[in-house]
Amino acid sequence: MHKFFYYSLLALIIVGCTPYGSPKEEVQPVQEYREELTEDYVERVNNKYKEPEKKQKPQQKQQQVDIKPNRDSLVDIHKLWWYKKMHSEESKKAPVTLKDLYVKTLNHSNQVKVFSDIPIIRSTGIQEAEGEFDPVIYAEGGYNRVNEPVGNVLKTGDDNDFKENELYFEAGIKKKFSPGTEVQVSEKLQRIQNNSEFTDPNPQSIATLSVSIIQPLLRGAGIEYNESLYRLAKIDSKIAKKEFKRQLETHLLEVTRAYWALYLAQASLTLRREMVKNIEDINREIKQRSELDALQSEIYHTESALAFHRARIIRAETVVKNSRDRLLTLINDPQYIYDSDTLVLGDIPFTKWNDIELKKSLLQSMRNRPELEQAYLQIRASTIRLNMTKNELLPILDGIVEFAFTGLRAENDMGGAIGDQFAGGDPGARFGFRFEYPIWNRKARARHTRRQVEKRQLINQFKTTMENVLFEVKVSIREVETTYQEFLARQKAFVAAQKEINALKNRRVLETVLQGNKGVSSFLQALLQSQNNYLETQFQLVKSMIDYNLAITNLKRSEGTFLSFENIETVIEEDENGLPMWRTVINSYEDKYTSK
């Protein structure tokens, strides 16, 4: 009988591991999903953006050249007065670069801490799914009293009422295994005393050791089905990590924008202060010429311009403060809470042109964008859920095997009863099955249909995401090219405005030599107008340079290379309450666009 018990258990486990039902869709590794889903897009990119042939028609060759921005820079930005003033050694006692701010953001930003908790929360689902297979210890005890009339003298003898007192205690352990097998081992102890003449011994102690095995044969059978929740939890954890990467990129991109917005605000303030000095000089000179050739209206005009630009300085100072506070809000570094003025920008804007290949950028985005990684994993998870519903379409058919070892002693000899469990002959046994199947099975069919539609939806959603990613890359590259062309055009406008001022100053000297002091005020008015134009061209020049740097950063984000994720190390630590938390560290940072 003991051998039969082991053979029965082995047979049920083997049957439970056997895949039943309709063929399941293969759950491919993520890499295979990526290659399969992106195959058409990679082929389309490779065919559309082929390397130009050696022999090419003149018109096509001209078009190929035209899409490249003009690289001839008219102005050396690093030699302009405002640039030197902003980046002089006196104003950069403790400068911080964008990389420094990234590190500070990762260490202190509350928003980053919110993002970093997402993978921790999702990873608990893995442990929760593993908990389905944890052993369960249980115990139950109580007292039963029976007092009921009987209609059969063989039950009690002479008494018309059957009276029984029972004390019982049952404890055991049960566990579910990967094939779906449920095993339960329990020990039940009873002390029974009644008024039946046929109970012997009376009172009596009973000990029963039972082993129960239930093995699903159709629905719920197999390792693949029963470990599906665990595999889904692992996929969900990976999706959370990709989501963390996407949100972290978005936040650091906001830090980058705030950084350059502050740079632009400080440059604008520097330019406007210099403009006020120039207008003050003109206003002072016009007032001095009030008795020579300057009209009262010209004096009022210069005073109005001076008041206007002084008011603009007030606004510019507010913009600087707001931009600085916006940047510090994204970082949350306690170093700047009480002394935000110590934040001094140290990065130098990038002004050179680096060749950008559209084909290379498109292929990089397919490999690196976290949104696409999430889409791959979601489709993989949908396949697992679809296979689960295919299994749930099957009827419930469970095989049941149960064995019991019983010992009996008189009075309160419970120890002897426990020993008699194994001293007797073969154990008692029960073999059976349980079958259940809804007539129309509409619930399972509806779930199966829903999972099929969901997978189709996710595939279409992936295609939509892919199209949007490719669109973003194209727009980002065009924006880089456009902003650089604008930067070069702003240089031309700046050079022309500078030449205009120099020409007016030279003309004034000439007119002074030819006509003496007469007519100088008109040149001062013209110089005032050119100063306004000169200020605007310088501001637009700085803005176009900042726009170019932001366009480069946005291109890296659209390519999925803004964060070199392999250089971001996440270490799981414990907070002050002993809860797990992620600490994110940048090991190294290489900017392929601005490293030269």
Side-chain angles (χ1 to χ4, degrees), residues 207-218:
T208 304
L209 175 65
S210 61
V211 180
S212 174
I213 304 169
I214 301 176
Q215 173 62 59
L217 303 177
L218 293 179

Side-chain angles (χ1 to χ4, degrees), residues 223-421:
I223 295 176
E224 179 180 352
Y225 177 82
N226 288 281
E227 290 188 351
S228 293
L229 294 179
Y230 171 74
R231 296 162 69 190
L232 288 173
K234 291 187 68 176
I235 292 176
D236 192 46
S237 179
K238 293 179 180 179
I239 292 175
K241 292 178 181 179
K242 302 303 178 183
E243 179 66 15
F244 168 71
K245 176 185 177 182
R246 186 187 68 81
Q247 292 181 337
L248 183 60
E249 282 183 342
T250 301
H251 189 75
L252 293 183
L253 181 61
E254 286 299 314
V255 172
T256 305
R257 289 172 176 167
Y259 184 94
W260 291 121
L262 177 58
Y263 187 96
L264 179 61
Q266 291 179 342
S268 176
L269 179 60
T270 302
L271 291 172
R272 294 193 185 283
R273 285 174 174 170
E274 185 67 20
M275 178 67 178
V276 167
K277 291 180 180 179
N278 294 335
I279 296 178
E280 286 176 345
D281 293 340
I282 296 175
N283 183 54
R284 188 182 304 109
E285 187 172 356
I286 286 183
K287 285 183 177 181
Q288 293 173 354
R289 303 186 64 83
S290 60
E291 298 179 357
L292 295 176
D293 58 350
L295 300 176
Q296 195 67 27
S297 60
E298 293 175 339
I299 296 175
Y300 292 150
H301 179 72
T302 56
E303 289 180 347
S304 174
L306 181 59
F308 173 78
H309 285 285
R310 283 174 176 171
R312 295 291 294 272
I313 287 180
I314 297 174
R315 171 57 59 184
E317 290 175 344
T318 302
V319 172
V320 169
K321 294 177 182 178
N322 292 340
S323 299
R324 183 185 293 113
D325 288 343
R326 169 58 179 165
L327 180 58
L328 297 180
T329 301
L330 294 171
I331 300 172
N332 301 131
D333 189 347
Q335 173 185 350
Y336 303 115
I337 291 180
Y338 301 105
D339 191 8
S340 60
D341 293 336
T342 58
L343 177 64
V344 180
L345 306 186
D347 262 346
I348 298 176
F350 187 61
T351 58
K352 295 182 179 180
W353 170 258
N354 276 353
D355 289 333
I356 300 173
E357 298 180 15
L358 177 58
K359 176 181 175 180
K360 183 178 179 181
S361 296
L362 292 173
L363 294 177
Q364 277 186 334
S365 67
M366 294 183 194
R367 293 191 298 267
N368 300 319
R369 282 293 289 268
E371 296 92 330
L372 295 178
E373 295 287 337
Q374 289 178 283
Y376 302 140
L377 293 169
Q378 287 171 351
I379 295 175
R380 188 179 185 216
S382 70
T383 303
I384 295 176
R385 294 189 180 96
L386 179 58
N387 288 339
M388 291 179 67
T389 59
K390 287 183 178 181
N391 182 280
E392 292 166 359
L393 288 171
L394 302 173
I396 294 177
L397 179 60
D398 297 341
I400 301 173
V401 176
E402 190 173 314
F403 297 92
F405 303 85
T406 305
L408 176 65
R409 284 295 179 95
E411 298 295 336
N412 298 323
D413 189 7
M414 192 61 68
I418 294 175
D420 289 346
Q421 291 178 126

Side-chain angles (χ1 to χ4, degrees), residues 140-146 162 164-171 186-194 199 201-210 404-421:
E140 181 183 357
Y143 168 76
N144 290 330
R145 176 176 173 80
V146 178
F162 177 71
E164 182 178 81
N165 296 319
E166 177 190 13
L167 285 172
Y168 71 93
F169 175 79
E170 181 178 3
S186 65
E187 179 74 41
K188 186 174 184 180
L189 307 177
Q190 298 171 280
R191 185 187 184 279
I192 299 176
Q193 183 178 8
N194 56 44
T199 300
N202 191 4
Q204 58 185 232
S205 296
I206 305 173
T208 304
L209 175 65
S210 61
F405 303 85
T406 305
L408 176 65
R409 284 295 179 95
E411 298 295 336
N412 298 323
D413 189 7
M414 192 61 68
I418 294 175
D420 289 346
Q421 291 178 126

